[in-house]
Amino acid sequence: MSCPITDPGGEDTTVPPAMLHGLAPGMVSPGDEVLLQFLYAFLPKPPVSTSPSLCCAAVAADKTDRVSRLPDDLLRRVVSLLPAKDGARTTVLSSRWRGLWRSAPTVLVDTHLLLGGDGQLRPARPGAISRAVTDAVSAALESHPGSFPFVSLTCSFMDGADRSLLARWFQLLATKGVDELVFVNRPWPLRGLRLPSSLFSCASLCRLCIGAWVFPDTAALPRGAAFPNLHQLVLGCIAMEDKDLEFVLAVSPVLEILTVTGSLSPLRARLTSHSLRCAQFCLSILEEVAVVDAPSLERFFLWRNWNERQTKICTTVKIGHAPKLRVLGYLEPGVHMLQIGNTIIKAGTKASTHTTVPSVQMLAVQLQFGVRGEVKMLPSFLRCFPSIETLVVESRVVREPASNLSLKIWHETGPVECVQSHLKILTFHELQGNRNEFDFLMFIAQNAHKLERMFIVMKNDLTYAERQVVVAGVGALYSANWASRYCRVQYLSSCYPIGGGSWSLQAGSDLSIDDPFEAFPED
């Protein structure tokens, strides 16, 4: 085990925030920067820290060695809570401590091996520092015979020449029972570097986060390669094919949470899993995503995937067998082509047993209220989910000439079961003062008999003229004939600099949070 690593040339290894990804500013495009920010923000935090807050005042007055009197099991626990390099240093204390270190579980975080390592820094460039980190990781894995419950490898600039080394790392981790693994390569460019197939030998894994890699050819993996204990999988900035995702789902029989943030190749994702409870697709190139057979799926999230508005090509969203699906978002009317069972939902589609998903209670949608086709699709989308109790609507900035719709479209809509009979909470994000937005809010106010709370979040950069329109619209809304006598309305200003809602990857994957969209908790 090594001490913090310094550059042999004497160069300062502290990385400024602008080089968090290990690349100089300007080498990463704005789109790639967003992808990497999402990836790094979602990586699990190590269970140990290099900068704990300790109080030594009591120890200074009493020089008695009380620590050595503690039983081995307790001392072993103490060692396991230290960063790997500090745990290794305890071996110089005595032969007893050497035995404790060898049998104690070790948390290995490669950023802790850097000078000033705080779990956040990454080497500024490939070269001496990166090679030193790689050597230190190899030494740690080879020298420590105990288990590695948590391993985070995010600051080595791997290349094709390191494949045998990576294979050795995964062989060691497989034999030492790694529980959680974070494995992120130097971010860009990928250059076709494939994940070593030996990763799939780590059968003990319960949580796996992979970033900035090309998926291996799963058809060529050794027979028996599987993740029998994997509960959570994060794939970030990854290049993979449809069959690769299907393979991973097939060999992960207890997988509960799947997050794909930044799939870099066009993907037609098919979700077939009896254990999956949450699936998230964010900033990915999606041609189609289909919930084929997911009897345990409770949450399904889609957020700003690239094949949508940017290419003017619809992403097909299919919902098949998902009897427990409770939370769904963000659907985009006119951008997503929604298919329930074998029926493609169109404007004017009637509700029936073949076109509804009655289990969904929370729905989030994004749309441009100035685009006729999207507004006309919204009632049809709402009819597909007759049991909605919480509805989140995000109004997006119109990027094409706005259509001058009138309230007539909502008068002609007819009954929408979820609005009339179930809706309790409506959150409307990024109100811009568009007349069509207020027409929709008026429709909700006049038809939602069980509505308890309405949150209206105004876009924070409205001009004076736009604010005057908002004031007029609010006045009309207050004077409406509300279907619910007990609804509380709350107006707020958005805290998002470029708009958006309250959902996040963290909230979406935290199954203990009942409402992942809740921006304004109950008083």
Side-chain angles (χ1 to χ4, degrees):
M1 297 289 291
S2 301
C3 294
I5 293 168
T6 56
D7 189 337
E11 180 181 334
D12 182 9
T13 62
T14 302
V15 183
M19 299 181 71
L20 182 63
H21 309 314
L23 295 176
M27 292 184 66
V28 181
S29 70
D32 295 341
E33 179 75 18
V34 171
L35 285 178
L36 293 167
Q37 287 177 351
F38 263 77
L39 172 61
Y40 289 131
F42 193 49
L43 296 180
K45 290 182 172 26
V48 301
S49 171
T50 59
S51 55
S53 177
L54 299 176
C55 179
C56 301
V59 178
D62 186 358
K63 300 184 181 298
T64 304
D65 182 6
R66 301 181 186 277
V67 174
S68 296
R69 298 179 184 177
L70 298 174
D72 285 358
D73 287 346
L74 186 55
L75 291 178
R76 194 175 292 111
R77 173 64 175 160
V78 171
V79 174
S80 70
L81 295 175
L82 297 173
K85 58 183 175 64
D86 294 328
R89 287 170 177 166
T90 64
T91 60
V92 303
L93 298 176
S94 68
S95 58
R96 181 191 180 196
W97 282 96
R98 283 194 293 274
L100 290 171
W101 173 76
R102 290 177 61 84
S103 59
T106 295
V107 171
L108 177 60
V109 181
D110 59 0
T111 51
H112 289 173
L113 304 176
L114 293 169
L115 182 64
D118 59 358
Q120 298 296 322
L121 303 181
R122 290 171 180 81
R125 56 176 174 76
I129 304 173
S130 180
R131 287 193 297 273
V133 171
T134 301
D135 291 343
V137 170
S138 295
L141 293 175
E142 294 283 359
S143 63
H144 191 275
S147 62
F148 286 86
F150 182 96
V151 175
S152 177
L153 307 173
T154 64
C155 67
S156 292
F157 287 71
M158 310 305 296
D159 58 35
D162 296 318
R163 294 194 63 81
S164 60
L165 176 64
L166 292 178
R168 177 59 179 166
W169 283 2
F170 291 132
Q171 289 168 1
L172 291 169
L173 289 173
T175 60
K176 297 180 181 185
V178 60
D179 294 323
E180 296 187 50
L181 174 62
V182 178
F183 187 49
V184 181
N185 193 20
R186 51 96 178 103
W188 236 253
L190 284 172
R191 294 181 181 173
L193 289 179
R194 293 186 177 272
L195 275 167
S197 59
S198 52
L199 171 64
F200 288 83
S201 66
C202 296
S204 60
L205 279 171
C206 295
R207 190 180 191 185
L208 175 61
C209 302
I210 302 171
W213 286 98
V214 176
F215 230 75
D217 181 4
T218 51
L221 290 177
R223 189 172 183 178
F227 294 129
N229 299 295
L230 191 64
H231 285 269
Q232 182 173 5
L233 174 63
V234 178
L235 302 174
C237 301
I238 204 88
M240 63 180 173
E241 299 180 13
D242 306 344
K243 64 181 179 64
D244 300 327
L245 182 58
E246 293 179 20
F247 173 85
V248 170
L249 291 174
V251 301
S252 306
V254 298
L255 185 67
E256 293 187 339
I257 300 172
L258 170 68
T259 299
V260 180
T261 171
S263 173
L264 305 179
S265 51
L267 188 64
R268 298 174 69 89
R270 293 171 55 84
L271 302 182
T272 299
S273 169
H274 282 217
S275 60
L276 195 63
R277 298 177 62 191
C278 173
Q280 305 185 101
F281 292 85
C282 167
L283 298 171
S284 297
I285 305 176
L286 280 183
E287 294 181 351
E288 176 183 293
V289 57
V291 180
V292 179
D293 184 18
S296 300
L297 189 66
E298 302 169 19
R299 301 179 174 199
F300 183 31
F301 300 101
L302 304 168
W303 192 79
R304 299 189 181 179
N305 294 293
W306 290 350
N307 207 45
E308 297 166 4
R309 297 187 185 278
Q310 289 82 354
T311 62
K312 299 291 185 180
I313 299 175
C314 287
T315 296
T316 302
V317 179
K318 298 181 180 179
I319 302 179
H321 183 59
K324 293 185 179 180
L325 184 60
R326 179 174 169 270
V327 182
L328 176 62
Y330 286 86
L331 289 183
E332 297 196 45
V335 175
H336 287 152
M337 185 171 70
L338 180 62
Q339 180 175 327
I340 308 293
N342 295 321
T343 304
I344 296 175
I345 307 303
K346 300 178 180 179
T349 297
K350 302 294 184 182
S352 71
T353 56
H354 302 294
T355 62
T356 57
V357 185
S359 60
V360 173
Q361 296 179 332
M362 296 183 188
L363 176 69
V365 296
Q366 295 174 328
L367 71 155
Q368 300 174 115
F369 274 91
V371 177
R372 177 182 296 272
E374 297 191 21
V375 177
K376 290 182 68 175
M377 280 298 301
L378 182 55
S380 296
F381 273 30
L382 294 178
R383 288 193 182 94
C384 293
F385 309 101
S387 304
I388 295 172
E389 296 181 358
T390 299
L391 177 62
V392 179
V393 178
E394 180 183 324
S395 179
R396 301 188 66 172
V397 176
V398 177
R399 304 191 182 282
E400 54 187 83
S403 303
N404 187 21
L405 303 174
S406 68
L407 191 62
K408 184 178 180 181
I409 186 174
W410 294 107
H411 284 163
E412 296 175 345
T413 292
V416 177
E417 183 178 349
C418 68
V419 175
Q420 288 190 321
S421 305
H422 297 279
L423 187 63
K424 296 180 180 179
I425 300 174
L426 171 69
T427 302
F428 193 103
H429 282 282
E430 305 304 302
L431 180 75
Q432 300 163 44
N434 187 302
R435 176 185 174 184
N436 304 323
E437 296 173 325
F438 282 107
D439 287 349
F440 168 75
L441 291 172
M442 187 72 73
F443 171 77
I444 297 295
Q446 294 176 342
N447 290 276
H449 294 275
K450 294 190 176 182
L451 193 65
E452 298 173 358
R453 307 193 79 178
M454 179 184 287
F455 298 99
I456 299 178
V457 187
M458 292 174 286
K459 193 166 174 281
N460 64 10
D461 60 348
L462 295 177
T463 65
Y464 176 79
E466 290 170 333
R467 288 186 180 276
Q468 294 302 106
V469 173
V470 168
V471 170
V474 168
L477 192 60
Y478 265 117
S479 63
N481 183 21
W482 286 68
S484 172
R485 296 174 55 190
Y486 307 103
C487 181
R488 297 171 57 192
V489 182
Q490 187 172 354
Y491 295 89
L492 305 101
S493 181
S494 176
C495 61
Y496 301 96
I498 57 173
S502 58
W503 169 83
S504 66
L505 290 170
Q506 288 82 355
S509 61
D510 188 346
L511 299 176
S512 68
I513 298 177
D514 183 66
D515 182 358
F517 303 111
E518 186 177 32
F520 318 105
E522 297 285 345
D523 294 336

